[in-house]
């Protein structure tokens, strides 16, 4: 679509932003759906977060994504908040409304959509979540919201696992999340586990690493989801597969956080075949470069 007088702007604010894959997702979807929108990255300094949101509104920007390190800081500059984003305490999507922007967390919605796409059940299941940082928060809240029976939350620093568990249990008024130190995985009694890897350990170039390597843990994992998508097969995924489990990486979560944000921006559903075209574009961009 040619940029003209009717083009509406979408953007991403964060710091840094130059390695983002979001323009590829949104501009592919815009092209597929023949919508006159254009998505660009904006580098924003930390003391300018509110000014950036207000400036975007003044410039009639249709919607924005927000990335690290502003997913919390941006919240005070918004006119409304989606309840799930409010619970998680982080926003990655700003949707234009009367007077400002409403905040959503499509990282959480994208994660749930990846599970749905992969036919991974949540209700009544038991999950083990590795990590208790920002990515883990979105995962733990969304699993609890969707009625998972129990979540064991394992983290290197136990205090952080305890803190997040308390928050989620208070929010859903049930003891759904049980914090454990990483080495206490042996206390998990369930034999059919959905495991979600939410730490940064194993991210390229340190692809050989995994936060938990004990074979006996992986024996009970029927499905493992790693939020990392670079490399496309992580050590965690290898360990799951070696013990006969199904494994997927986080590229579909990235895709669907983008697709869900795009749908909120433009107020239209994206047909699945168009999401698949955006997915192929992501795979192409992530393909290791040959030569030299
Ligand atoms: P993100 O936004 O990607 O979740 P984060 O909030 O910094 O990033 O969280 C990083 C997660 O990876 C945390 O759970 C962290 O464990 P701690 O809370 O104990 O720091 C985990 N992590 C990072 N490096 C790690 C390492 N070398 N060993 C074990 N866990 C690690």
């Amino acid at each position: 679509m040619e940029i003209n007088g009717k083009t509406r702007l979408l953007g991403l604010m964060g710091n840094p932003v130059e390695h983002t894959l979001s323009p590829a997702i949104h501009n592919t979807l815009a092209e597929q759906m023949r919508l006159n929108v254009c998505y660009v990255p904006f580098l924003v300094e930390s003391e300018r977060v509110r000014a950036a949101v207000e400036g975007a509104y003044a410039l009639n920007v249709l919607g924005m994504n927000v990335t690290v390190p502003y997913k919390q800081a941006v919240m005070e500059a918004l006119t409304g908040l989606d309840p799930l984003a409010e619970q998680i305490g982080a926003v990655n999507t700003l949707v234009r409304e009367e007077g400002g922007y409403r905040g959503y967390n499509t990282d959480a919605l994208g994660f749930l959509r990846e599970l749905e796409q992969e036919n991974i059940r949540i209700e009544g299941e038991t999950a083990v979540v590795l990590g208790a940082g920002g990515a883990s928060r979105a995962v733990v809240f969304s699993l609890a919201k969707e009625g998972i029976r129990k979540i064991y939350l394992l983290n290197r620093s136990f205090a952080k696992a305890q803190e997040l568990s308390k928050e989620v249990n208070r929010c859903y008024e049930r003891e759904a999340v049980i914090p454990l130190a990483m080495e206490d995985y042996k206390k998990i009694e369930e034999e059919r586990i959905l495991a979600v890897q939410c730490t940064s350990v194993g991210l390229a170039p340190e692809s050989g690493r995994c936060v938990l390597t004990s074979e006996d843990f992986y024996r009970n994992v029927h499905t493992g989801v790693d939020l990392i998508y670079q490399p496309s097969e992580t050590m965690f995924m290898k360990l799951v597969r070696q013990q006969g489990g199904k494994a997927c990486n986080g590229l579909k979560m990235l895709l669907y956080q983008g697709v869900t944000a795009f749908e909120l921006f433009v107020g239209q559903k994206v047909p699945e075949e168009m999401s698949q075209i955006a997915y192929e574009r992501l795979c192409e961009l992530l393909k290791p470069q040959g030569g030299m």
Side-chain angles (χ1 to χ4, degrees):
M1 182 80 65
E2 198 183 350
I3 290 178
N4 58 25
K6 291 182 179 160
T7 303
R8 293 295 300 274
L9 196 60
L10 299 171
L12 166 75
M13 55 184 271
N15 189 359
V17 289
E18 55 265 37
H19 299 296
T20 178
L21 292 167
S22 289
I25 300 175
H26 289 267
N27 290 322
T28 301
L29 295 175
E31 188 181 300
Q32 290 299 313
M33 293 184 71
R34 299 182 180 284
L35 293 171
N36 193 354
V37 295
C38 178
Y39 187 105
V40 292
F42 296 109
L43 179 69
V44 172
E45 299 298 335
S46 61
E47 64 278 14
R48 294 265 185 277
V49 172
R50 176 177 280 277
V53 174
E54 288 171 359
Y57 187 76
L59 289 171
N60 201 28
V61 170
L62 184 58
M64 296 276 282
N65 280 135
V66 182
T67 189
V68 176
Y70 303 137
K71 290 183 185 185
Q72 288 87 32
V74 78
M75 292 172 76
E76 57 164 48
L78 305 179
T79 42
L81 265 183
D82 177 65
L84 181 60
E86 189 169 8
Q87 286 163 8
I88 296 170
V91 156
N92 80 319
T93 298
L94 311 187
V95 179
R96 194 178 178 87
E97 62 179 13
E98 190 59 41
Y101 293 95
R102 171 173 290 268
Y104 292 81
N105 189 310
T106 70
D107 292 326
L109 300 169
F111 171 68
L112 291 175
R113 212 154 151 181
E114 167 170 18
L115 295 194
E116 194 185 322
Q117 266 289 309
E118 300 284 353
N119 286 316
I120 300 168
R121 277 177 46 115
I122 299 175
E123 215 184 325
E125 301 285 313
T126 298
V128 172
V129 173
L130 305 178
S136 167
R137 281 184 77 83
V139 164
V140 175
F141 271 99
S142 39
L143 290 174
K145 170 180 163 280
E146 292 301 302
I148 196 127
R149 193 173 72 85
K150 203 188 272 183
I151 300 168
Y152 292 97
L153 181 59
L154 277 59
N155 198 47
R156 173 178 62 179
S157 85
F158 178 62
K160 255 170 87 180
Q162 261 181 322
E163 214 168 286
L164 177 54
S165 303
K166 245 190 242 166
E167 244 186 273
V168 181
N169 291 339
R170 197 182 315 124
C171 176
Y172 291 97
E173 296 177 338
R174 63 185 178 106
E175 291 300 302
V177 190
I178 301 161
L180 287 179
M182 202 54 85
E183 61 277 11
D184 281 342
Y185 71 88
K186 295 189 192 83
K187 294 185 180 160
I188 300 169
E189 286 167 2
E190 277 80 355
E191 289 179 351
R192 284 188 51 74
I193 290 168
L194 163 65
V196 190
Q197 201 300 109
C198 305
T199 78
S200 44
V201 181
L203 188 65
E206 298 202 58
S207 313
R209 296 183 61 208
C210 180
V211 74
L212 185 53
T213 49
S214 322
E215 264 183 30
D216 49 338
F217 168 72
Y218 291 92
R219 251 174 240 136
N220 294 333
V221 174
H222 63 77
T223 307
V225 182
D226 200 328
L227 300 198
I228 292 173
Y229 50 81
Q230 241 175 338
S232 61
E233 190 188 40
T234 62
M235 182 52 72
F236 169 82
M237 290 167 67
K238 284 188 185 136
L239 290 163
V240 171
R241 285 177 177 153
Q242 272 165 18
Q243 299 301 322
K246 167 183 160 156
C248 30
N249 67 25
L251 195 57
K252 288 214 167 135
M253 175 178 173
L254 175 76
L255 170 75
Y256 288 118
Q257 68 72 31
V259 170
T260 307
F262 190 83
E263 290 175 340
L264 288 165
F265 294 150
V266 303
Q268 289 182 43
K269 258 322 225 190
V270 173
E272 189 48 39
E273 63 272 19
M274 295 185 183
S275 297
Q276 284 312 310
I277 292 170
Y279 183 71
E280 282 158 25
R281 179 80 191 117
L282 289 176
C283 292
E284 221 171 274
L285 288 170
L286 288 169
K287 230 189 284 172
Q289 303 293 309
M292 300 294 281

